[in-house]
Amino acid sequence: MTPENDYLSHIYDLAKQRDPHKPEFHQALLELLIALTPVIEKTPSLCKRGILERLIEPERLIQFRVAWRDRDGETRVNRGYRVQFNSALGPYKGGLRFHPTVNSSIIKFLGFEQTFKNSLTGLPIGGAKGGSDFDPRGKTDNEVMSFCQSFMSELFRHIGASTDVPAGDIGVGNREIGYLYGEYCRLMNISEGAMTGKGIFAGGSMLRTEATGYGLCYFAESMLAGLRNGSLKGKTIIISGSGNVALYAIKKAQAFGARVIAASDSGGYIIDESGIDWALLRQIKERERGRISEYASRKPGASYHEGCSGIWSVPCDVAMPCATQNEISLESAQQLINNGAVAILEGSNMSCTFDAVQLIMEEPVLYVPAKAANAGGVAVSGLEMAQNAGHASWSYEKVDDMLQSIMNSIFHRCIDAAVEYGHPENLLIGANIAGFVKVSKAMAWQGVV
Ligand code: NDP
C-alpha cells in the first residue's frame, strides 16, 4: 500500500530507496503519510520548504562498537546506536533499548515516532532514540555494569542536558540508567540532567517509573469520558507484557476499577479471571527478574499458556498492548474485534501491524496510536528535565497532576485535529496531524537547516 496523494507517495518512495532494508521505519512513515493526506489537501503550506524531505532524514545517526568483559573474562562485542532525529522543538529526547532484536531499522522507526510523540506532549523536546543488541536478561549485575560503562564511553560525547537526553526503554530500567548515568558523570566531571529516569535520590522525578503506564490509563479515561460518556470502571482489560509500562498500566487500571485478567512476557501469557495480583506479578517480574509462568504456579486459579499472541484471543473490553512493536497481527486484531473490544490503546510503540491498524479503523473501535497513548513517559521525563534545570524537586502529587493534565491535553489535541481535518473520532489521523503540525511549523520558522 502507498499513500494516494502523489507527493506523499513520492516521499514514501524516496525513503524506501534510501533505506531499502528498514521495514519498521517504512511502516511508521507510511502511517504518518497516509494520515497527512487531509493536510496536503487543506493546508499544503505546512509541507512547503522541503519539510517532509527533511523530516524523514535523521539529523544524525551514530553507530558504535561496544566491547565489554563477561563473567568469565571473555571479550564480548555488541553494536550501539543513537539516532538524533529532529531537534526543531528542543533537545533530542528518547529512550535507550537493550534487546537482541535492536537494529538500525528499529532505532530509526522509534526515533521517527518519538519526534511526533514529543511534539504532542506540548513540551519543548525534540526526538531521538538509541540502544543496542545487548540482552540484559540472564546477565549478572557486573556484566550489565560493564556493558553500560562501555556503551556510555562512546555515547557521552553526543549527549548533554541541553543537547540530547536519553532515558529507558525495553531492557533499560532503573539499574541500567544508574550504571549509564554514573559513567556519564565520571567521564564528564559534571552532574547534570543528561539522562532521565534517574533514581529519586540522584535528581530523578517522582512518578517517572509509573508515568507511561499511568499516562496510558489517564488517556483512556479522558477518551472514554469524552467520546463514549464512559470510563475504565468495570471494564475487562488485557495488558500484554509485564515490564515497566505493563506493570504500571495494570496498577492504574485496577485503581480506576477495571478488571485486568491477562498479562504476558516473551515466553507466554497468564490468565487470572479473578484479576491480576499486582504485587505478586511485580515481585516476580520486577524484583526477581523471573518468568511470568511462575505467576500461575504461585496464584491459585491462574493459568499459563505458551506463546505471546494467544493473549489477544482472550475476550476483553479494552486491549492495551504494552510489550513490543507489531505484537498485534491482523489475526489478533480480528480476534479482538470478534470478541467485542471497544478500545485498543498502544502502550508499546507501534503495537499493531499495518494491516491490523487498517482493519481496526474499519470498525467502531477506538484506536489510539502509541505516539499519543504512551506519551506519559516522555512527558514526565520532560518534567524531570525542568526540575533538574531549576535544581528543584517536585512532589508526587504535583507531578501526577501535571501528568494527568498533559494526557488530557494530548487527547484534546488529537481530537481537535481530527475534527479540523474532517475525521472526527479518528485518533490515528488526529495524533499524526497534531504531532506533525507543530514540528513542521517549528522547522519552517527556523529556515532550511
Ligand atoms: P520492559 O523491558 O520493562 O518490558 C518489556 C516487556 O515486553 C517484558 O515483559 C518483555 O518480556 C516483553 N517483550 C519484550 N520484547 C518482546 C518480544 N519481542 N516479544 C514479546 N514480548 C516481548 O520494557 P518497557 O515496559 O519499558 O517497554 C515496553 C514497550 O513500551 C516498548 O515498546 C517501549 O518502546 C514502550 N515504551 C516504553 C516507555 C517507558 O517509559 N519505559 C515509554 C514509551 C513507550 P520478557 O520479560 O520476557 O523480556
Side-chain angles (χ1 to χ4, degrees), residues 361-376:
M361 297 314 291
E362 288 170 10
E363 302 290 329
V365 176
L366 293 170
Y367 165 75
V368 192
K371 52 176 74 74
N374 72 19

Side-chain angles (χ1 to χ4, degrees), residues 97 99 101 110 114 117 129 137 168-172 208-209 211-212 240-246 264-267 285 290-291 308 322-325 327 347-350 374-375 377-378:
R97 176 178 293 191
H99 194 272
T101 57
L110 288 167
Q114 194 79 41
K117 180 186 311 190
K129 203 78 186 188
R137 285 176 305 181
D169 191 78
I170 292 178
V172 179
R208 177 58 189 91
T209 305
T212 311
S240 66
S242 47
N244 173 265
V245 179
S264 62
D265 65 14
S266 55
K285 291 300 297 182
R291 307 307 302 157
C308 307
C322 294
T324 193
Q325 67 274 354
E327 54 175 311
S348 50
N349 285 307
M350 205 165 74
N374 72 19
V378 76

Side-chain angles (χ1 to χ4, degrees), residues 26-46:
H26 301 160
Q27 184 183 338
L29 175 61
L30 185 56
E31 176 193 301
L32 177 88
L33 293 175
I34 290 175
L36 291 186
T37 306
V39 174
I40 284 284
E41 286 161 6
K42 192 174 168 192
T43 328
S45 59
L46 286 171

Side-chain angles (χ1 to χ4, degrees), residues 186-199:
R186 191 182 74 80
L187 291 168
M188 295 292 290
N189 190 26
I190 194 170
S191 182
E192 57 161 13
M195 292 194 74
T196 57
K198 300 184 290 296

Side-chain angles (χ1 to χ4, degrees), residues 200-399:
I200 301 294
F201 34 77
S205 176
M206 288 288 181
L207 211 82
R208 177 58 189 91
T209 305
E210 299 90 336
T212 311
Y214 279 21
L216 185 63
C217 293
Y218 291 149
F219 191 105
E221 282 286 288
S222 292
M223 176 182 75
L224 291 170
L227 300 180
R228 294 289 181 269
N229 200 21
S231 75
L232 287 173
K233 191 169 186 325
K235 298 270 188 308
T236 300
I237 305 195
I238 291 180
I239 297 182
S240 66
S242 47
N244 173 265
V245 179
L247 272 177
Y248 292 94
I250 293 171
K251 189 173 185 190
K252 185 52 78 176
Q254 290 178 336
F256 277 127
R259 197 168 63 100
V260 185
I261 58 164
S264 62
D265 65 14
S266 55
Y269 65 98
I270 50 161
I271 302 178
D272 187 346
E273 291 288 349
S274 64
I276 301 281
D277 178 337
W278 186 81
L280 176 60
L281 186 62
R282 182 195 187 200
Q283 174 65 26
I284 294 168
K285 291 300 297 182
E286 196 178 272
R287 302 222 160 119
E288 298 171 17
R289 297 183 187 273
R291 307 307 302 157
I292 206 165
S293 51
E294 291 159 36
Y295 180 96
S297 48
R298 291 195 214 172
K299 174 81 191 294
S303 56
Y304 174 72
H305 309 262
E306 288 284 341
C308 307
S309 60
I311 193 170
W312 308 117
S313 66
V314 181
C316 67
D317 302 313
V318 177
M320 295 182 175
C322 294
T324 193
Q325 67 274 354
N326 289 329
E327 54 175 311
I328 297 190
S329 64
L330 183 65
E331 188 190 353
S332 300
Q334 189 66 65
Q335 285 173 322
L336 286 167
I337 291 164
N338 291 348
N339 287 332
V342 296
I344 300 171
L345 295 99
E346 292 190 338
S348 50
N349 285 307
M350 205 165 74
S351 321
C352 300
T353 63
F354 187 80
D355 291 352
V357 176
Q358 302 308 304
L359 176 70
I360 294 163
M361 297 314 291
E362 288 170 10
E363 302 290 329
V365 176
L366 293 170
Y367 165 75
V368 192
K371 52 176 74 74
N374 72 19
V378 76
V380 172
S381 274
L383 301 180
E384 184 172 328
M385 288 166 71
Q387 291 170 75
N388 292 167
H391 301 283
S393 183
W394 299 342
S395 69
Y396 184 96
E397 291 71 24
K398 175 170 174 160
V399 179

